[in-house]
Amino acid sequence: MKNIDHPLSNWIPYKLIETDKEAYFEWIYLADVNFAEPFFTDTIAKCNGHKFNSKLNKAVSTVENLIEWSHELESVELRSLVFHVSRCGSTMLSQCLAASAENIMISEAPIIDQVLRSDYFGLDKKTALIKAVLNFLGQKRFPQQKHLIVKLDAWHIFNAGYFRSIFPEVPFGLLYRNPTEVLKSHQKMMGMHMVPNLIPPSVFGISSQEIEETSFRQYGALVLEKYFQGFLDFYETNQNAAILNYNDGMKNALEKFISFIDIEYSHDELEKMLERLKQHSKDKNTVFTGDLFKEETLQIDFSKLNILHEKLNNTLLEHLEH
């Protein structure tokens, strides 16, 4: 059965619901909406008004339903997972990739994080669910679609080894940036992972002792230290990954990523992706003129961060030499 004729065509699971007695998935109908927005949740918001999604009774399924049904639809090939340290150009990278009609670009889908962090499932079940969710997100809904690329949440670098065990041949992208610029961006509008305890510190490998010794202002730097170290630790044993530096220019990062994942795009598709660089990553209607940061110095100890950043830079140079 072709996707277009399947009753689940254009339906995706998008939320894991857990109660004391059971876990189930809530579904949403995409209609003809593509994953073109900066974040997965933006796409979901566009779909909420559809008549199938605005009913009082929501479409739900069991865990086993999701796994079983995921084998019934044709899905495009998973071509890369993108890891990042936040505020490092990952949204621009994903928006450029989303500009190509050949790509299904999933950007920080909460359902992936919900499955990963759930205490409801064992590892084997989580693996089956991750694969099932990606099959649905990567279902071939339009004729041009050929590639699935998934940008994960920043803290998923700590799950990179697990993802590698599931997808041993899939190239990974590792995108980072000068730590001062990352934290200056969070100074303007702080991400939830940079606020103590909004996400359990254990997710980042932060100990209770480190929490006690770290001020609110320094916490974001500590999280970023963990991200940088996570990049270094993963790359040391997993060479099928491209290290991408925002500070080398987003055009360079995009071209290097495309080359690394070894996709032959047409000239027109490449032009669409490069053209997207001219607009703001989160607003296509705004011309991007560069980042503007507050001039005052951050009251943060950068000593460890700078060492880790330099190690990443050196690792990148070694990567380029090979």
Side-chain angles (χ1 to χ4, degrees), residues 55-300:
K55 296 178 180 179
L56 186 61
N57 295 321
K58 302 299 181 182
V60 299
S61 77
T62 66
V63 170
E64 297 305 328
N65 286 155
L66 170 58
I67 295 172
E68 179 184 350
W69 295 342
S70 69
H71 303 297
E72 299 179 10
L73 289 171
E74 177 189 357
S75 299
V76 303
E77 183 181 358
L78 176 63
R79 298 305 297 264
S80 185
L81 298 179
V82 178
F83 300 84
H84 60 99
V85 300
S86 81
R87 311 296 171 87
C88 60
S90 63
T91 303
M92 178 56 83
L93 178 66
S94 62
Q95 279 288 280
C96 289
L97 293 163
S100 170
E102 295 181 7
N103 295 330
I104 300 174
M105 182 68 231
I106 304 298
S107 185
E108 300 184 16
I111 187 171
I112 297 174
D113 188 56
Q114 290 164 358
V115 171
L116 283 174
R117 290 207 272 149
S118 174
D119 294 325
Y120 213 97
F121 313 112
L123 197 59
D124 288 345
K125 184 69 74 175
K126 283 188 180 184
T127 297
L129 285 170
I130 291 292
K131 290 181 175 180
V133 166
L134 292 184
N135 279 345
F136 272 105
L137 298 184
Q139 66 180 274
K140 190 176 178 70
R141 298 167 53 226
F142 303 99
Q144 310 96 315
Q145 293 177 329
K146 300 178 183 177
H147 321 292
L148 173 63
I149 302 169
V150 178
K151 183 183 78 152
L152 298 162
D153 288 303
W155 51 92
H156 290 155
I157 185 57
F158 309 117
N159 303 104
Y162 169 63
F163 278 112
R164 174 54 78 219
S165 72
I166 306 176
F167 306 111
E169 305 300 326
V170 173
F172 290 179
L174 309 175
L175 181 61
Y176 75 105
R177 185 181 188 178
N178 177 294
T180 301
E181 295 171 3
V182 173
L183 294 177
K184 283 253 183 182
S185 177
H186 281 288
Q187 182 188 42
K188 291 167 63 177
M189 186 170 66
M190 192 171 289
M192 65 177 183
H193 52 133
M194 295 295 183
V195 179
N197 297 314
L198 279 188
I199 294 177
S202 58
V203 169
F204 312 101
I206 295 174
S207 67
S208 56
Q209 182 178 346
E210 286 176 310
I211 287 288
E212 292 175 5
E213 296 172 351
T214 304
S215 67
F216 179 89
R217 194 185 297 272
Q218 189 69 28
Y219 183 79
L222 177 59
V223 170
L224 193 53
E225 288 171 16
K226 299 295 186 181
Y227 288 160
F228 281 4
Q229 189 64 59
F231 273 37
L232 289 164
D233 291 344
F234 177 74
Y235 187 76
E236 185 176 345
T237 56
N238 294 268
Q239 300 296 298
N240 188 18
I243 301 178
L244 311 168
N245 186 354
Y246 174 91
N247 299 106
D248 288 340
M250 276 308 302
K251 181 175 183 292
N252 180 71
L254 174 64
E255 291 175 339
K256 180 180 175 182
F257 179 76
I258 290 172
S259 175
F260 186 75
I261 62 177
D262 196 26
I263 297 177
E264 292 289 335
Y265 292 104
S266 68
H267 175 77
D268 288 346
E269 293 302 303
L270 284 171
E271 284 299 306
K272 289 177 188 175
M273 289 188 273
L274 291 171
E275 190 68 19
R276 182 64 181 86
L277 289 169
K278 298 177 182 178
Q279 286 85 42
H280 193 281
S281 62
K282 296 178 177 66
D283 184 1
K284 296 177 184 178
N285 298 314
T286 301
V287 176
F288 181 65
T289 57
D291 293 304
L292 296 175
F293 299 122
K294 296 179 180 179
E295 292 185 4
E296 65 263 29
T297 303
L298 291 170
Q299 300 301 308
I300 289 173

